[in-house]
Amino acid sequence: MDLLDPLGPLSPRMHQLLTDGDRHGAYTHGSLQRGGHNSAASDHAWAVTRAVAAGAVRAGWSRAAFVQVLLDGPYPAGQPARTLQHRRGYDRAVSWLHRAFDGAQQHLQTHDPLCGRQDFHAALATYRARIERTPWPGTAAKTDLRNLAARLDLCTRSGGWDHTVSERDLAERMGCARTTTHRSNQRLLNARLLRQLDHGSPTEGARWMLLAPTGTGPLTLSHHASTPQRPQAGGAMSGPTTRHRHHSNGNSDSSDGGSDADLDSHTAARLMSLDAFAHRGLSGSGLAILAALAEHDGQTPAELRASASISRATTYRQLTTLTHLGLTRREGELLHLTPAALNGTGQPGPRCEHPATTWTDVAQRLGVYGTGERRRRHHHTERAHWQHTQLRLAARNRRMQPPPPPISPVHFTQAADTRAHTTRAALTALEHPTPSEHIPHNPGHRRAPSPTAPAHPEPTHTSPTPSETRN
């Protein structure tokens, strides 16, 4: 009987991890600190054991059953524990497994487990609300907001926190360059909001996992956000590289509004890949204004600065552009979206004589039309170049393969002599057949007559030999 039969069933993913091991390297950290390969192997073994322990706790296993399955069963996930038992003894291996089981049990008691798809979508909605209420000041933070919005859509489609996407595909979804996407990924990895499960394959993108921190409030991030400041006349700090920081107090002109940020991430995810929101167009700040007004229409400029996490100068500049396009209108102190603003269609007004008709029209007016198509063509060219390089390297490796070992001259001569001797013997046999009288006669052997031979063959007359003539 299998050891798993009397126990509670594991989830399909944990059952595969237990019976097949970490075949895809999902629990590999890629760190070689504190001892190189040995440290990385031990970290990987601990991560796999903790994952199986968490699955066992969810399935209702006892600690003794968990130890018995990993030590007495033939499962690959228990190989590190069995190796530890062989090297250090049974007590040391049991203590190691107890520590993994107790840690997983404590972790699940302090966190809400996901028991099904409905629980996941509820947790995803909670995480989306936290992202929407988190301030994202500065250009880099707006890029991170695009990154998370794109990944939330991918998680919604996949039905789990882990998803597969390449940097180029993610850049096209975000509406930015691949290098910008790479830097955003690194910031999210450092902030422990994202984990890379593997590096992908030549035909598939890398696998990622969104990490949802505990709590229900806004995320705690440290972007050290700054906004470019135009050159000022005179002064030691003037110049194109001067930047002013975003402060958290509400009295600063470049305030991000603290925790008053609130925007619609669905609107941001739907619009961010359009050409109109490229870097030289409405950019991330214009996207944040539209997303904030889509969440709460009718805000004052001060409230909009707080909800969109942008500075006063950026708010004034973007609102002027949106008003001239007919996408926003002002009623007293309140700012509103026009009825079809989220579709790129403006409305005539006192400050807008020729409203925009579509987002393509907006991109053409701002001079950024075709940015996304050029980016896609560039990515296609990079992929084709990579494939061509792989084919060229494969062909070069085939040419560089060592030739077969040459035949020794001695062996070649002997083989040629053997073939020549065999050929001469065959020719001699054909030219000088063996006479019939030299064939030994076996009285017990009678040759079967040929079916085509006559029943009574006529005697043949042979000419006498020269010796017989002389006699």
Side-chain angles (χ1 to χ4, degrees), residues 64-364:
F66 172 71
V67 173
Q68 182 183 8
V69 168
L70 292 189
L71 287 182
D72 299 339
Y75 308 111
Q79 184 60 39
R82 293 191 292 270
T83 302
L84 183 61
Q85 178 187 4
H86 176 72
R87 294 179 178 179
R88 301 292 182 87
Y90 178 79
D91 294 339
R92 184 65 178 271
V94 170
S95 176
W96 190 67
L97 292 176
H98 284 180
R99 186 157 56 93
F101 188 86
D102 295 341
Q105 191 173 25
Q106 182 180 3
H107 176 78
L108 293 178
Q109 289 177 354
T110 57
H111 295 73
D112 295 331
L114 300 180
C115 301
R117 185 174 294 271
Q118 294 181 354
D119 294 340
F120 166 72
H121 284 292
L124 188 65
T126 303
Y127 187 52
R128 183 186 292 274
R130 296 184 62 187
I131 291 176
E132 293 174 347
R133 296 196 303 269
T134 300
W136 302 95
T139 305
K142 295 295 188 297
T143 305
D144 296 346
L145 174 61
R146 293 189 180 201
N147 196 336
L148 290 177
R151 293 182 184 276
L152 286 176
D153 287 349
L154 292 173
C155 291
T156 303
R157 296 179 181 179
S158 64
W161 294 111
D162 51 340
H163 51 281
T164 302
V165 66
S166 64
E167 281 190 351
R168 291 181 176 86
D169 293 338
L170 185 61
E172 294 174 4
R173 291 174 179 270
M174 294 169 53
C176 59
R178 185 184 65 84
T179 54
T180 305
T181 304
H182 177 75
R183 290 193 294 267
S184 176
N185 289 336
Q186 294 302 316
R187 287 192 297 268
L188 295 179
L189 287 171
N190 296 333
R192 299 185 181 276
L193 297 177
L194 188 66
R195 177 186 296 170
Q196 187 172 1
L197 301 180
D198 59 26
H199 297 282
S201 65
T203 57
E204 295 183 358
R207 288 201 311 127
W208 305 82
M209 175 180 288
L210 273 180
L211 302 179
T214 58
T216 57
L219 302 178
T220 303
L221 303 174
S222 58
H223 283 95
H224 302 290
S226 57
T227 303
Q229 186 178 5
R230 294 190 177 185
Q232 299 178 357
M237 297 300 295
S238 63
T241 59
T242 303
R243 308 174 75 88
H244 61 269
R245 313 292 294 184
H246 289 276
H247 304 285
S248 60
N249 52 9
N251 298 328
S252 175
D253 293 343
S254 59
S255 171
D256 57 23
S259 60
D260 296 333
D262 195 6
L263 47 82
D264 185 11
S265 60
H266 293 283
T267 300
R270 184 169 62 89
L271 300 179
M272 62 186 179
S273 61
L274 300 177
D275 292 343
F277 298 93
H279 177 61
R280 301 295 180 183
L282 295 176
S283 68
S285 55
L287 179 66
I289 289 177
L290 292 179
L293 291 177
E295 182 69 17
H296 296 290
D297 195 15
Q299 302 184 41
T300 63
E303 294 173 348
L304 189 60
R305 291 201 311 268
S307 59
S309 303
I310 54 179
S311 64
R312 174 183 294 180
T314 304
T315 305
Y316 177 79
R317 184 176 66 254
Q318 291 292 352
L319 285 178
T320 301
T321 303
L322 294 174
T323 302
H324 289 167
L325 293 172
L327 302 179
T328 59
R329 57 185 174 85
R330 189 161 186 167
E331 297 180 358
E333 293 295 329
L334 300 180
L335 296 167
H336 299 271
L337 289 176
T338 54
L342 298 181
N343 295 327
T345 303
Q347 185 179 14
R351 298 183 181 181
C352 177
E353 298 180 357
H354 303 285
T357 56
T358 58
W359 287 120
T360 303
D361 184 23
V362 173
Q364 291 176 348

Side-chain angles (χ1 to χ4, degrees), residues 27 48 312 418 426:
Y27 296 90
V48 172
R312 174 183 294 180
T418 304

